[in-house]
Amino acid sequence: ELKVEQNPLFLSMQEGKNYTIYCNYSTTSDRLYWYRQDPGKSLESLFVLLSNGAVKQEGRLMASLDTKARLSTLHITAAVHDLSATYFCAVGNAGNMLTFGGGTRLMVKP
Amino acid sequence: DVKVTQSSRYLVKRTGEKVFLECVQDMDHENMFWYRQDPGLGLRLIYFSYDVKMKEKGDIPEGYSVSREKKERFSLILESASTNQTSMYLCASSLTGGLTEAFFGQGTRLTVV
């Protein structure tokens, strides 16, 4: 059974600081996704990572995938308030299903 | 843009009622999914469908059923609602192929009283 763990579940950080969210998963997979969810809103796709060593960047967010370690990271550089949201990683498995982590609620304070 | 639309944003139902949550997507996606989202538990898959009239159980199917009579529409049915089914329900769709992302609807917050 595929399990996906995210750490931390809650993150409060100052603007301008850097931090990393971790996503560990328990079985082999060939794809990993990062989503963002704003309060009361649906999930918005951020990154799709399909191979070992894949790195993708969009603005202040950078995601990477290490399939051997079964680990993905979402790195935040010089955080700004607009990045406050809940971030989910999801791992693809058989039948096009996704298994989600518990989410990381990020709060960026001025 | 892919659009996944859920019929209601908020619902309040009584214990024992039969509840229907509807989801429609407009991008001809083969796969459709129903998740429930609870604080600290992330999203958990209830059911998914990979074709019309085809369905597979997810991780937490108990107390739920689904219907997919048309490709664009996927319904989640709570046969007899209970208070522990109070949650946020999210519908998603994706193309077949395994490498494509899922697109989500806006969610339905269901309260069972």
Side-chain angles (χ1 to χ4, degrees), chain A residues 15 31 36 67:
Chain A
E15 279 192 329
R31 58 201 193 280
R36 168 182 172 145
T67 57

Side-chain angles (χ1 to χ4, degrees), chain A residues 65-77:
Chain A
L65 177 62
D66 181 344
T67 57
K68 293 180 182 176
R70 296 177 188 160
L71 171 69
S72 180
T73 60
L74 181 67
H75 187 73
I76 304 153
T77 303

Side-chain angles (χ1 to χ4, degrees), chain B residues 30-102:
Chain B
E30 294 88 359
N31 304 317
M32 296 189 75
F33 308 84
W34 276 106
Y35 290 87
R36 65 177 280 177
Q37 182 179 18
D38 299 289
L41 297 177
L43 278 73
R44 293 178 292 168
L45 181 65
I46 305 171
Y47 268 97
F48 80 100
S49 169
Y50 52 91
D51 201 351
V52 174
K53 297 190 187 295
M54 306 304 290
K55 61 186 179 185
E56 291 286 341
K57 293 180 180 179
D59 299 320
I60 51 165
E62 295 77 20
Y64 303 94
S65 63
V66 290
S67 172
R68 192 161 180 206
E69 297 297 319
K70 293 185 177 181
K71 190 175 185 180
E72 67 271 18
R73 186 180 297 269
F74 192 34
S75 303
L76 179 69
I77 304 156
L78 286 66
E79 297 290 342
S80 177
S82 63
T83 55
N84 64 13
Q85 292 177 310
T86 292
S87 187
M88 170 71 85
Y89 290 88
L90 289 162
C91 174
S93 71
S94 73
L95 286 168
T96 292
L99 301 182
T100 60
E101 64 208 277

Side-chain angles (χ1 to χ4, degrees), chain B residues 3-40:
Chain B
K3 194 162 185 184
V4 181
T5 304
Q6 294 179 231
S7 54
S8 304
R9 288 298 305 274
Y10 302 95
L11 277 179
V12 180
K13 296 292 182 179
R14 294 192 182 279
T15 300
E17 274 193 79
K18 191 169 185 176
V19 181
F20 293 86
L21 303 183
E22 306 285 347
C23 176
V24 177
Q25 51 95 3
D26 66 359
M27 283 301 290
D28 205 34
H29 284 175
E30 294 88 359
N31 304 317
M32 296 189 75
F33 308 84
W34 276 106
Y35 290 87
R36 65 177 280 177
Q37 182 179 18
D38 299 289

